[in-house]
Amino acid sequence: MDKIFTFVKNHTMASIIFYPYKPKGNSKVYVRCTLKRGMDFRLSTGLTIQEASLWQDGFPKSRAGAEYRTLEKKLRELKSHIEDCLIEVEQSQELSSNDLNSRWFKNVILSFFNEAPVEESNLLIPFTKKFIHELTNKTYLKKGRKEKYTQNTIDKYKYFLKNLEDYQTHLNKKIKINDVNSKFADKFADYLKTKKSQSINTIGRELKRLKTIIKDADFSGIAIDKSYNHIKGFEDETIVNFLTFDEIETIINTNMPDSNHEIAKDWLIIGCYTGQRISDLYRMEKSMLKNINGMNFIELKQFKTKKLVTIPIHYKVNDVLKKYNGDFPPNLNSKEVSNRTNLSKLMKKVCEIAKINSIERGRYNGVLGFYPKFQLIQNHSCRRAFCSNFYGLEGWTTPMIMAISGHETERNFLRYIDREDNSLSIQAAQNFKEMERKDNFEKEKQILRKA
């Protein structure tokens, strides 16, 4: 048997060193195991350090706090575990130097954490499940500030996982992580379109999530097909259907047949004049009403962005609040999803009753075509109405609208309302007019002189 080293605990030719993958900030912790020339293994331990700069002599600085002392203890235990496994190899009559490879070391690390061996971790679905589970404790940087992943984001990855599991069943074979490349992505996208009838935008987002998963696998030291970088997400053509001021006024002046339709109508009015996402609109309550310098506002922290917005109360919104004794209309269901669904259906009906039926291009049940406008109206149309109606209106600047809607960049705002940033072109056109005016004035002066 070919023995490659003489290993005695506390006196060994093997070198085991831990180090952070990045010099500072949140970082994965890697281990380097050197046995002899040509046998140098570097693998992720699966552990992370919150601040990599707090690292010294192969371990986190214990004085940095309890979290770092716990990490140091765990790494020392892992080192001892690796050393014990190496002793077992040295004393074994069955293992040789050929058995000591990256996979062997990875399995040693996984066994320490009582996790599945590498064979399973090389599979896409188990790795995706692990990725989703870890999202609950992960953070990401946003404008220099650490943010936790929201349950909404985690749920979207769970939806992606279900699509992936269905696709694996369709293929009738287990998908490996290194199977994923642009060709795989194209076939996955075709499956989502033809077999699951998902929209272009949904498919585009699923490919973005697929790429994120593989990128994390790459970062974790798992073998991947580097061409995965060619996978691109995409979006379908932006089509904005919204109610104009005149159409909103028509709805306000139309009587509804019952209280549920009246409630849906009132929420529609509030949505069109506050510009909030549905996740914020239907949770508005009386406690959010504020009086600042003698003026009335709705103040809330947006669910998606965690941004605090102060929304001036439009007089038409105030008329609705008066109907409910200074409060917002009730919701129709205690469950948020059911409430959204019911109100969205009722809003279509409200618009139909008000005869908002001009034929427009849009998507109805995901199918692009030309439909009566009331069929194209949904919860989200309210937010689009606010942003689109007030954009370019005299006295309203884009930053003013964004301060209420919560859009973080003008580029995203303009895409949202399907407008291009043509402000410079407009200014240039105005400059042309001014040049024309001056030229005409000079010509008139010359004519008068000659006369």
Side-chain angles (χ1 to χ4, degrees), residues 269-276 281 284 288-300 302 308-319 321 328 386 390 395-397 399-406:
I269 295 164
I270 294 172
C272 288
Y273 286 103
T274 59
Q276 299 307 296
L281 177 63
M284 288 181 180
M288 296 177 180
L289 299 174
K290 308 290 181 183
N291 186 281
I292 304 172
N293 296 329
M295 293 176 287
N296 295 322
F297 297 86
I298 302 166
E299 191 172 81
L300 61 83
Q302 292 184 328
L308 184 68
V309 291
T310 304
I311 309 154
I313 297 179
H314 191 278
Y315 63 93
K316 294 185 187 294
V317 173
N318 198 46
D319 289 342
L321 298 180
F328 290 91
F386 174 84
F390 284 98
W396 285 79
T397 64
M400 192 184 297
I401 301 170
M402 289 170 56
I404 296 172
S405 70

Side-chain angles (χ1 to χ4, degrees), residues 4 6 8 16 23 75 82 196-197 219-220 230 245 301 311 350 373 383 397 422 445 447 450:
I4 61 170
T6 301
V8 180
I16 301 171
L75 290 172
I82 295 172
K196 303 201 77 173
S197 302
F219 186 72
S220 300
H230 297 302
F245 284 136
K301 181 177 282 188
I311 309 154
V350 165
K373 189 169 185 176
R383 177 169 165 82
T397 64
N422 59 1
K445 282 172 61 177
I447 292 170
K450 290 179 181 177

Side-chain angles (χ1 to χ4, degrees), residues 195-206:
K195 300 295 183 181
K196 303 201 77 173
S197 302
Q198 293 184 356
S199 71
I200 297 297
N201 286 337
T202 297
I203 295 169
R205 286 191 290 267
E206 294 297 77

Side-chain angles (χ1 to χ4, degrees), residues 344-402:
S344 185
K345 289 178 180 177
L346 285 170
M347 282 183 182
K348 290 182 192 294
K349 193 64 181 175
V350 165
C351 292
E352 183 179 8
I353 293 167
K355 295 183 171 51
I356 310 299
N357 52 17
S358 60
I359 303 301
E360 288 196 5
R361 184 169 178 263
R363 291 187 185 86
Y364 182 64
N365 292 334
V367 180
L368 186 63
F370 290 88
Y371 304 95
K373 189 169 185 176
F374 68 84
Q375 290 186 343
L376 303 175
I377 299 303
Q378 52 187 314
N379 289 320
H380 202 64
S381 303
C382 299
R383 177 169 165 82
R384 289 199 184 274
F386 174 84
C387 295
S388 300
N389 283 330
F390 284 98
Y391 176 75
L393 197 65
E394 186 177 355
W396 285 79
T397 64
T398 301
M400 192 184 297
I401 301 170
M402 289 170 56

